[in-house]
Amino acid sequence: AWYRGGRLVIATDGACWNQQLGWARRAGLGIYVGPRCGNLSAALPGMDQSSGRAELLAIILVFAEAGRLGLQVEILTDYECAAKAWAAWSGGPSFHPREQLDLWRRLEPLARAALAAGSALTWVAAHGRAAHEQELRWNKLVDDLAVQGSKRHTGLQRLTQAIRLKEANQEKAQAVQRHM
């Protein structure tokens, strides 16, 4: 485990295969606490598959568990939207997300409680551009976990998601036709 400023440092990340193809997206999340520390690699549940959604869920899981255990943590993330939201909740410029509103609503009270408890969220430049060597190493390790998580989707999950997405698109098309 790595501590900085009295906080347990935990890296989070999300990854998504076929990000451009809605029906083929498969996202996963990673949480890296340290060598032999119960790190997490998991497929993103649900129909809405994106790296941003996976990133947010990883951050939510860390803040929820840290709050439950009374831990001060420092989350390292390369998700710029999360860093902007954290800055806004810390008194900086306002931030208004446009996507994943359900997850932002879950994250905000957890993040505000974490902030009040002395936790932090630090933005780390993605894929080899981090200024701090340890941050760079941890970002690579958590990225690998997130990619592994995106590959954990089963064939049945993929088929079910594709069918549901097709049905949802058909319903939207029918609704548009009714309003014409």
Side-chain angles (χ1 to χ4, degrees):
W2 171 26
Y3 287 85
R4 184 161 61 181
R7 299 179 186 111
L8 175 63
V9 178
I10 300 175
T12 61
D13 202 8
C16 188
W17 290 97
N18 298 315
Q19 184 88 356
Q20 300 79 9
L21 302 172
W23 61 271
R25 285 184 197 148
R26 302 294 171 260
L29 60 102
I31 299 172
Y32 187 77
V33 183
R36 299 171 303 282
C37 288
N39 303 309
L40 175 68
S41 174
L44 179 67
M47 289 290 299
D48 192 357
Q49 297 285 309
S50 70
S51 58
R53 192 164 183 80
E55 298 254 12
L56 283 173
L57 185 56
I59 293 168
I60 287 167
L61 292 172
V62 171
F63 277 146
E65 191 65 8
R68 190 180 73 76
L69 296 173
L71 292 174
Q72 285 186 336
V73 296
E74 177 182 354
I75 293 179
L76 301 179
T77 181
D78 60 14
Y79 190 44
E80 209 166 342
C81 288
K84 289 178 182 178
W86 184 264
W89 297 326
S90 302
S94 64
F95 173 76
H96 302 287
R98 295 188 182 110
E99 298 176 334
Q100 276 64 268
L101 297 179
D102 60 322
L103 293 181
W104 286 109
R105 281 194 280 285
R106 284 176 58 191
L107 175 57
E108 184 173 2
L110 292 169
R112 288 187 184 278
L115 184 64
S119 288
L121 184 140
T122 301
W123 180 76
V124 177
H127 307 292
R129 299 186 310 262
H132 187 280
E133 181 140 345
Q134 182 87 345
E135 290 175 355
L136 179 67
R137 218 174 14 260
W138 281 45
N139 192 56
K140 170 68 175 117
L141 291 166
V142 76
D143 182 66
D144 291 345
L145 289 172
V147 169
Q148 289 170 20
S150 71
K151 294 178 180 178
R152 293 183 188 274
H153 289 270
T154 67
L156 181 58
Q157 286 173 315
R158 291 177 187 162
L159 177 61
T160 302
Q161 288 173 338
I163 290 168
R164 288 185 181 158
L165 184 62
K166 183 177 180 182
E167 289 171 348
N169 288 337
Q170 286 173 340
E171 289 172 12
K172 286 178 187 176
Q174 290 170 353
V176 168
Q177 286 177 347
R178 283 192 298 268
H179 287 82
M180 294 178 93

